[in-house]
Amino acid sequence: MEQLQSFFPLILLFMVIYLFMIRPQVKKQKQEKNFVSELKKGMKVITKSGLHAKVLDLNEDGTCLLETSAGKMKFETSAISMDMSKKLNSSENKK
């Protein structure tokens, strides 16, 4: 019984780390995966580097062709920011 009591703080620490650090990160990864799978041609997006663009083509290899003011560029779909793109699209829908 005494050994169990000595491990209790350690077990509690792992539970807190899981609930406040690991679980939210896994949830965010799932949301980003859903966002990438829902990308469509013509959708306006913002990359993580801040580049505003419009999706021209989505490829099976995880890349997409984006049209910007500088021309056409090929990006990984993981480089598209879910948070900023959703804010951009929601503000355009309100107008």
Side-chain angles (χ1 to χ4, degrees):
M1 188 68 174
E2 190 175 304
Q3 288 179 344
L4 184 63
Q5 287 178 348
S6 66
F7 280 114
F8 184 71
L10 190 60
I11 293 169
L12 186 63
L13 179 68
F14 281 120
M15 287 176 56
V16 168
I17 288 173
Y18 174 77
L19 287 174
F20 290 107
M21 295 179 77
I22 297 171
R23 190 167 169 246
Q25 185 66 27
V26 170
K27 183 178 177 183
K28 178 133 179 141
Q29 286 175 344
K30 284 182 183 178
Q31 287 175 340
E32 289 205 22
K33 189 175 180 181
N34 281 340
F35 173 74
V36 168
S37 68
E38 292 172 356
L39 281 176
K40 300 174 192 165
K41 291 180 183 178
M43 192 173 179
K44 292 186 178 182
V45 295
I46 302 175
T47 63
K48 290 181 181 175
S49 61
L51 184 71
H52 291 245
K54 185 170 113 177
V55 177
L56 290 180
D57 191 23
L58 295 166
N59 301 322
E60 295 294 322
D61 62 350
T63 61
C64 61
L65 190 63
L66 300 178
E67 180 182 24
T68 66
S69 59
K72 296 177 183 176
M73 297 181 188
K74 190 173 187 177
F75 274 88
E76 293 284 327
T77 52
S78 61
I80 297 173
S81 173
M82 176 185 70
D83 297 329
M84 290 189 283
S85 295
K86 283 188 176 179
K87 286 179 186 176
L88 174 71
N89 289 322
S90 68
S91 67
E92 285 183 355
N93 289 340
K94 289 181 181 177
K95 289 182 181 179

